[in-house]
């Protein structure tokens, strides 16, 4: 007879309770002595439906009275299931068959029972259940430690730990493991040189305490007779593991250092031999963890290890910002008895209470000097260790100068060095020293910037002052002078001596700069004189002795000195030398030449005779000058003054465009010739020669162009009114040549200039940003460098592109040979190493054997 257990299946109760179990073959149903509650949450049992007063012999021949043992596997409100220990069977039982307090019965308890069969179905069930009392634990307790690993599974998996260590049950897993499973930890103990690990659950720990990894414990061993698993029970804590502390290295010496602890306001000593890491990388400010040990009655840090930066936090800083007033500043020079690390004080009203908070040197956002009464903004920092509050992130508010009683001065940045500078003060003669750390609002200062500042005595030297709390001002805020609104009339009594002697010695230059002109005038019937400088002259001409001028008076605030400004010439003195107009034709290193108004001669002048800014003088500029004779009766220009531009050739210009050839360049191009003017010969169709027309610097369209002998040009013809001479004007060269080569940022054009057959050009001179290639045809102008005497091309314009370079095909013999070579051909050419490669250190290269790399495999 087959066992009816094979046909028994477990099922889920539906919303409408069934009236029968489903058999294994699902072909028939049998009534059973069970009735279900309407909600499917409980089950009642009718013992009267069993044989022999609810009990009978087991179908496989087990006689009555024979008891078995098992483990309560499932327990519901009124019934459950037992897993047999001696055989692979799972039996149903009703709670009414349990002999004892049903509240004490739990899943996993060992029970003893008899086997009977259901009278209707014949299926085996357990009856007469008794709970088996646990075996008495041995009196000997075993010492061990909590092991290193933890999982929410019945067994803890170990990963090759050698030394006895511990693994606690994490707080986040207590009572929150997978359904039907309890979180477990492990303990380990040593016996006969071997280390053994046992699992435990929170219920196995006495005193309801949480164990941490590394705790020393004692326990009993318990063996589950059903599964054979050995576990730890009745665990008692013997000694807590020594906790690791954290801190920040605050000082390092030759062989030791100090750590500021994160748990208490205290420093602790450590020796470098206790540092576990690269000692060379250790520095003040590093976050570390360590263990505290007692040596010779003193606490020291041992097993010091680095932590990631930002791990250790000493304080909590408020998000909210507060405003307050500085009532006590930090002294610049600390006194001998000053032991307070937070000597500063700030008064603030927080909430409804007035509060005074300390602060130290590191609590300010910048190093700007704080003064008593400053209106500031700050955060509150609370130390986690002793709850001490202090002000931090202190920043001076813009309106603080309305609260302090300091005297503010103004000036201009005169000099800047590395980290410091000097200010030219409005009210002081001496320049004022300042440090960049004293600049407010983190604005970057430059020379000539206008600033406002406070002057305080130097702490190290009472006789010296320096500027602090520097604030940048808008342009035009600082004025060193006051200028009169009234205009005065006067006569130049003394001219200004020229100051542009480039080759003069520094001493003589200073002497000349010190000289100034003098104007005589009357004010309220009193005859007065006032000095003036060339920089204060308005208009084109510079005044000379006897000229009538109009001016204003400027007074320096600091010294009270007066000078004439905005000087304008009204009437020239007729007794002065005749002033002539001309045009700048040539500029050399320290001299130049002026083309006369008739465009037929050039006059020498030295830069020392130039009145005004020489750097602004260019070719073709209109100037005013006076003729003088020097040594050897040579004529030169003096008192040269740049004036407003006038038309160089003011007469009517013919509209016809002429084409000609330069048969003589200007003397600036060919200094060997005696004539100043250049000469152009008309080129007519069918004729070899035509009329010749002279030209000067003002006749050229581009004053910097260097016309060479033999060049073709286009021009117009005009007539000079003073002499009636016909001259060429608006001369434009007609140059075309081929680009010979281009090398990165420069190139050469095939054009002969003087002794050179190639003309240099820079790629910046190419119009429209085009990239020229060899063979391109271009138009260009030629300019002469006055200092080097060399010519170069400018305004380069591409007229047409040259032929595109064509790649030379490989010879047929080489192509045929390459086609005939195969890798398997033994007679094919082979690479022969002539010289072994060597590295920079003279070591042989290619030492590593090259291998074929397999996809997905990393060496």
């Amino acid at each position: 007879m087959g066992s009816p257990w094979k046909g028994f299946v477990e099922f889920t109760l539906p919303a409408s309770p069934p009236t029968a179990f489903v058999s294994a073959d699902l072909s028939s149903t049998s009534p059973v002595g069970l009735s279900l509650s309407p909600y499917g949450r409980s089950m009642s049992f009718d013992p009267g439906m069993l044989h022999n007063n609810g009990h009978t012999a087991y179908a496989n021949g087990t006689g009555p009275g024979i008891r078995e043992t098992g483990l309560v596997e499932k327990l519901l409100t009124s019934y459950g299931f037992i897993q047999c220990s001696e055989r692979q069977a799972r039996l149903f039982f009703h709670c009414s068959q349990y002999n004892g307090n049903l509240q004490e019965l739990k899943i996993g308890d060992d029970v003893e029972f008899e086997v009977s069969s259901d009278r209707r179905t014949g299926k085996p069930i357990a009856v007469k259940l008794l709970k088996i009392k646990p075996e008495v634990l041995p009196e000997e307790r075993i010492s061990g430690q909590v092991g290193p690993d933890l999982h929410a599974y019945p067994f803890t998996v170990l990963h090759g730990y050698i030394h006895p260590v511990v693994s606690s049950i994490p707080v986040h897993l207590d009572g929150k493991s997978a359904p039907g499973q309890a979180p477990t930890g492990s303990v380990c103990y040593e016996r006969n040189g071997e280390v053994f690990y046992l699992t435990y659950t929170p219920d196995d720990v006495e005193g309801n305490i949480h164990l941490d990894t590394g705790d020393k414990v004692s326990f009993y061993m318990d063996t589950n007779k059903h599964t054979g698993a050995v576990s730890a029970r009745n665990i008692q804590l013997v000694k807590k593991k020594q906790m690791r502390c954290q801190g920040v290295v605050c000082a390092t010496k030759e062989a030791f250092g100090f750590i500021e602890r994160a748990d208490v306001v205290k420093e602790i000593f450590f020796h470098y031999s206790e540092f576990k890491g690269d000692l060379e990388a250790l520095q003040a400010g590093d976050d570390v963890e360590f263990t505290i040990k007692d040596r010779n009655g003193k606490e020291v840090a041992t097993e010091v290890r680095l932590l990631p930066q930002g791990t250790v936090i000493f304080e909590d800083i408020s998000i909210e910002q507060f405003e307050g007033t500085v009532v006590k500043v930090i002294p610049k020079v600390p006194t001998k008895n000053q032991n307070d690390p937070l000597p500063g004080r700030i008064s603030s009203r927080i909430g409804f209470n007035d509060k005074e908070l300390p602060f130290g040197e590191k609590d300010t956002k910048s190093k700007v000097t704080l003064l008593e009464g400053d209106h500031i903004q700050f955060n509150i920092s609370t130390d986690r260790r002793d709850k001490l509050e202090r002000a931090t992130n202190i920043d001076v508010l813009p309106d603080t100068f309305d609260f302090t009683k300091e005297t503010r001065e103004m000036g201009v940045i005169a000099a800047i060095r590395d980290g410091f500078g000097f200010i030219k003060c409005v009210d002081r003669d001496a320049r004022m020293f300042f440090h960049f750390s004293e600049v407010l609002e983190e604005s970057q200062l430059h020379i000539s910037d206008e600033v406002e500042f406070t002057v305080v005595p130097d702490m190290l030297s009472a006789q010296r002052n320096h500027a602090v709390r520097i604030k940048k001002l808008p342009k035009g805020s600082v004025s060193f002078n006051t200028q009169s609104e009234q205009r005065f009339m006067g006569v130049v009594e003394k001219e200004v001596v020229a100051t542009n002697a480039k080759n003069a010695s520094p001493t003589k230059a200073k002497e000349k700069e010190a000289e100034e002109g003098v104007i005589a005038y009357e004010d309220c019937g009193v005859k007065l004189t006032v000095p003036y400088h060339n920089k204060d002259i308005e208009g084109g001409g510079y005044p000379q002795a006897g000229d009538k001028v109009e001016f204003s008076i400027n007074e320096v605030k600091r010294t009270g000195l007066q000078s004439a400004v905005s000087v304008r010439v009204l009437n020239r003195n007729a007794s002065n030398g005749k002033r002539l107009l001309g045009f700048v034709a040539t500029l050399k290193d320290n001299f130049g030449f002026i083309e006369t108004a008739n465009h037929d001669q050039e006059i020498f002048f030295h830069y020392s005779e130039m009145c005004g800014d020489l750097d602004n003088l260019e070719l073709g500029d209109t100037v005013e000058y006076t003729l003088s004779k020097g040594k050897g009766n040579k004529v030169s220009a003096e008192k040269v003054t740049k004036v407003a531009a006038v038309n160089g050739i003011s007469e009517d210009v013919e509209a016809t465009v002429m084409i000609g050839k330069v048969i003589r360049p200007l003397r600036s191009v060919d200094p060997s010739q005696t004539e100043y003017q250049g000469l152009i010969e008309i080129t007519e169709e069918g004729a070899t020669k035509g009329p010749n027309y002279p030209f000067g610097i003002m006749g050229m369209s581009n004053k910097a162009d260097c016309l060479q002998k033999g060049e073709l040009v286009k021009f117009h013809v005009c007539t000079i009114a003073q002499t009636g001479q016909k001259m060429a004007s608006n001369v434009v060269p007609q140059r075309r040549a081929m680009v010979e080569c281009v090398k990165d940022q420069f190139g050469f054009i095939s054009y002969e200039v003087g002794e050179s057959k190639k003309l240099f050009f820079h790629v910046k001179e190419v119009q429209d940003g085009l990239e020229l290639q060899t063979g391109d045809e271009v138009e260009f102008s030629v300019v002469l460098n006055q200092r080097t005497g060399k010519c170069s091309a400018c305004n380069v314009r591409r007229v047409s592109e040259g032929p595109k370079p064509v790649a030379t095909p490989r010879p047929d013999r080489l192509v045929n040979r390459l086609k005939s070579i195969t890798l398997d051909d033994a007679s094919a050419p082979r690479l022969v190493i002539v010289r072994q490669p060597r590295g920079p250190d003279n070591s042989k290269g290619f030492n590593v054997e090259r291998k074929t790399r397999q996809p997905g495999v990393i060496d």
Side-chain angles (χ1 to χ4, degrees), residues 402-415:
D402 300 333
F403 294 82
T404 58
K405 298 179 181 179
E406 60 189 304
T407 302
R408 302 288 285 172
E409 298 186 18
M410 291 191 293
V412 175
I413 303 296

Side-chain angles (χ1 to χ4, degrees), residues 33-77:
L34 300 174
S35 63
L36 302 176
S37 69
Y39 302 100
R41 297 185 182 180
S42 64
M43 181 180 290
S44 60
F45 176 70
D46 184 7
M49 299 185 70
L50 296 175
H51 299 288
N52 194 16
N53 195 20
H55 306 90
T56 185
Y58 186 51
N60 61 4
T62 305
I66 298 177
R67 300 182 66 80
E68 295 185 26
T69 58
L71 184 72
V72 177
E73 184 186 60
K74 189 173 183 179
L75 184 62
L76 299 177
T77 305

Side-chain angles (χ1 to χ4, degrees), residues 179-252:
Q181 299 172 345
T184 62
S186 67
V187 296
C188 65
Y189 68 97
E190 184 180 355
R191 178 166 292 178
N192 298 328
E194 294 187 53
V195 179
F196 300 92
Y197 291 84
L198 304 178
T199 59
Y200 77 95
T201 65
D203 294 335
D204 298 322
V205 182
E206 295 184 355
N208 195 24
I209 61 174
H210 178 74
L211 297 178
D212 294 315
T213 300
D215 289 347
K216 291 185 178 180
V217 295
S218 66
F219 56 90
Y220 293 110
M221 283 197 304
D222 184 27
T223 303
N224 190 318
K225 62 182 180 180
H226 306 293
T227 62
V230 181
S231 60
R233 299 285 185 268
N234 296 76
I235 301 173
Q236 294 180 352
L237 177 65
V238 176
K239 184 180 179 181
K240 292 290 290 183
K241 179 191 174 184
Q242 195 164 17
M243 299 299 294
R244 298 280 285 171
C245 298
Q246 294 182 343
V248 174
V249 177
C250 58
T252 55

Side-chain angles (χ1 to χ4, degrees), residues 446-713:
H446 302 86
I447 293 177
S448 77
D449 280 349
E450 301 175 10
V451 293
E452 182 185 60
F453 55 93
T454 301
V455 177
V456 297
D458 196 319
M459 291 297 178
L460 301 178
S461 176
Q463 298 178 352
R464 296 175 56 187
N465 295 327
H466 63 273
V468 298
R469 302 157 66 86
I470 300 168
K471 180 181 179 182
K472 189 174 180 180
L473 298 176
K475 287 289 184 182
S477 302
V478 178
S479 175
F480 290 87
N481 312 301
T482 56
Q483 185 172 329
S484 64
E485 297 181 359
Q486 180 184 356
R487 299 284 287 176
F488 297 88
M489 300 287 185
V491 177
V492 176
E493 197 172 83
K494 178 184 176 184
E495 297 179 22
V496 177
V497 177
T499 60
N500 280 317
K502 282 194 172 183
N503 294 336
S505 65
T507 305
K508 292 181 179 179
K510 290 183 179 179
E511 291 176 357
K512 290 194 175 184
E513 287 176 0
E515 296 183 19
E516 55 194 10
V518 178
I519 299 174
Y521 72 102
E522 287 188 6
D523 185 17
C524 299
V526 180
K527 292 185 177 180
L528 302 170
T529 59
V530 63
Y532 75 96
H533 300 86
N534 274 343
K535 63 182 180 64
D536 297 318
I537 298 173
E538 294 181 351
Y542 285 83
Q544 301 178 20
D547 288 349
K548 187 176 181 180
V549 293
E550 182 186 35
F551 60 94
S552 299
I553 293 180
N554 179 73
E555 182 176 337
V556 180
K557 290 181 180 179
R558 175 169 43 86
T559 61
L561 294 177
Q562 294 183 341
S563 62
V565 295
S566 303
V567 181
R568 186 186 299 274
V569 178
L570 298 179
N571 295 316
R572 292 284 185 184
N573 186 9
S575 61
N576 289 334
K578 185 178 179 182
R579 302 287 286 174
L580 302 175
L581 287 177
F583 311 96
V584 177
T586 306
L587 292 173
K588 299 290 186 180
D589 283 344
N590 51 19
F591 64 92
F593 290 91
I594 299 173
E595 183 182 281
T596 60
N598 292 336
H599 313 289
D600 56 352
Q601 294 181 1
E602 60 179 358
I603 308 295
F604 170 87
F605 76 98
H606 196 273
Y607 287 166
S608 60
E609 294 294 338
M610 182 65 197
C611 301
D613 189 1
L614 186 62
D615 295 332
N616 292 332
L617 196 63
E618 296 179 356
L619 293 176
D621 283 349
T622 306
V623 294
E624 190 180 54
Y625 61 97
T626 303
L627 289 177
S628 67
K629 291 185 178 181
K631 294 180 180 180
N633 207 25
K634 292 183 178 180
V635 178
S636 64
E638 63 179 16
K639 299 180 182 178
V640 181
T641 306
K642 183 178 177 179
V643 296
V646 297
N647 192 0
I649 302 178
S650 58
E651 291 71 14
D652 293 336
V653 179
E654 297 179 7
T656 304
V657 177
M658 311 294 289
I659 297 177
K661 181 174 66 173
V662 177
I663 59 175
R664 186 179 68 201
L666 290 174
R667 190 158 61 183
S668 59
V669 177
D670 184 7
S672 62
Q673 67 187 34
T674 57
E675 297 85 357
Y676 161 70
Q677 289 179 320
L679 200 61
I680 299 175
E681 182 184 56
I682 295 293
T683 303
E684 297 180 353
E685 294 183 2
T688 57
K689 289 186 178 180
N692 297 337
Y693 294 98
F695 68 94
I697 190 70
M698 299 306 295
M700 296 175 59
S701 178
N702 181 8
K703 306 296 187 293
D705 207 338
C706 182
L707 288 178
Q708 302 290 322
K709 182 179 179 179
E711 286 190 314
L712 294 177
V713 294

Side-chain angles (χ1 to χ4, degrees), residues 5 58 68-73 81-92 111 113 115 126 226:
W5 175 254
Y58 186 51
E68 295 185 26
T69 58
L71 184 72
V72 177
E73 184 186 60
F81 292 89
I82 298 172
Q83 180 68 47
C84 298
S85 300
E86 288 82 6
R87 54 194 174 94
Q88 291 294 328
R90 187 170 182 264
L91 302 179
F92 168 87
V111 293
F113 57 91
V115 179
H226 306 293

Side-chain angles (χ1 to χ4, degrees), residues 801-814:
E801 294 188 34
K804 297 293 183 181
V806 179
T808 305
R810 289 181 174 179
D812 293 338
R813 58 180 179 79
L814 180 59

